Amino acid sequence: MLADKLLSTLTLAIFVGLLPLLWFFPSNANALVWTFTIPLIPIFWLLFGYSRWRRICPLAWFSKIAQNNTYFKKRFAAPWLRQYFYPLQFSLLLIAFSTRHWLLNYDALALLLFFTLVSLLAYLSGLFLSGKTWCNYLCPVGLVEKIYAGSNANVNTGNSDCET
């Protein structure tokens, strides 16, 4: 869908564009991230559903470009991961929130490193694991997405990776 491709390009440009801002203009960029950019994400989930967000999410993009790499054999998510992904996602989210309150809110370089690390983890999951393992089982925001919009029956866009 053309609209999703345009939105995906826009979200990726915003995400990647924040990284040099955090480096060169730390005080302004940090405020921009926490007061403008991050609050827009749940609003998007509520209006358009999280399935659409998962198609245009920058972290899903990093995972998806790694899927095209054929040097490594892709494996399905381990059974323990499929069974215990909620506690894992919650733990990762708790770590991210805790880190935000004592470090990421105040240090733009730390926020830059955090975004880079999360992007790298999304890429690595796509490199070694099949499908949308990052989105389904590892992304700490995935849990919040499901709470916000998982049962939004008015905006059902079907499978987040496939068109019907």
Side-chain angles (χ1 to χ4, degrees), residues 35-63:
T35 61
F36 180 71
T37 309
I38 298 297
L40 286 177
I41 296 171
I43 292 169
F44 187 93
W45 297 334
L46 290 172
L47 293 176
F48 301 105
Y50 84 98
S51 292
R52 173 160 282 151
W53 171 254
R54 291 174 71 191
R55 284 196 302 268
I56 68 166
C57 174
L59 297 177
W61 182 85
F62 282 107
S63 179

Side-chain angles (χ1 to χ4, degrees), residues 153-164:
N154 294 330
V155 191
N156 185 3
T157 57
N159 186 315
S160 65
D161 202 24
C162 304
E163 300 258 344
T164 55

Side-chain angles (χ1 to χ4, degrees), residues 37-146:
T37 309
I38 298 297
L40 286 177
I41 296 171
I43 292 169
F44 187 93
W45 297 334
L46 290 172
L47 293 176
F48 301 105
Y50 84 98
S51 292
R52 173 160 282 151
W53 171 254
R54 291 174 71 191
R55 284 196 302 268
I56 68 166
C57 174
L59 297 177
W61 182 85
F62 282 107
S63 179
K64 194 168 191 162
I65 61 166
Q67 288 287 318
N68 296 331
N69 186 320
T70 58
Y71 293 119
F72 301 100
K73 182 180 179 187
K74 308 289 189 252
R75 300 172 192 259
F76 290 109
W80 67 266
L81 182 58
R82 291 191 305 258
Q83 183 175 0
Y84 298 110
F85 73 94
Y86 278 125
L88 177 64
Q89 281 184 323
F90 181 76
S91 299
L92 294 172
L93 182 65
L94 186 63
I95 290 167
F97 275 155
S98 300
T99 306
R100 177 184 173 193
H101 285 293
W102 63 267
L103 180 63
L104 301 179
N105 277 353
Y106 313 105
D107 188 351
L109 181 59
L111 185 59
L112 170 68
L113 293 174
F114 177 79
F115 283 159
T116 304
L117 175 67
V118 172
S119 301
L120 180 64
L121 292 174
Y123 181 82
L124 290 173
S125 75
L127 198 60
F128 296 108
L129 300 169
S130 65
K132 295 190 71 86
T133 302
W134 170 259
C135 300
N136 291 333
Y137 305 121
L138 298 173
C139 180
V141 180
L143 182 64
V144 179
E145 290 173 350
K146 290 171 188 152

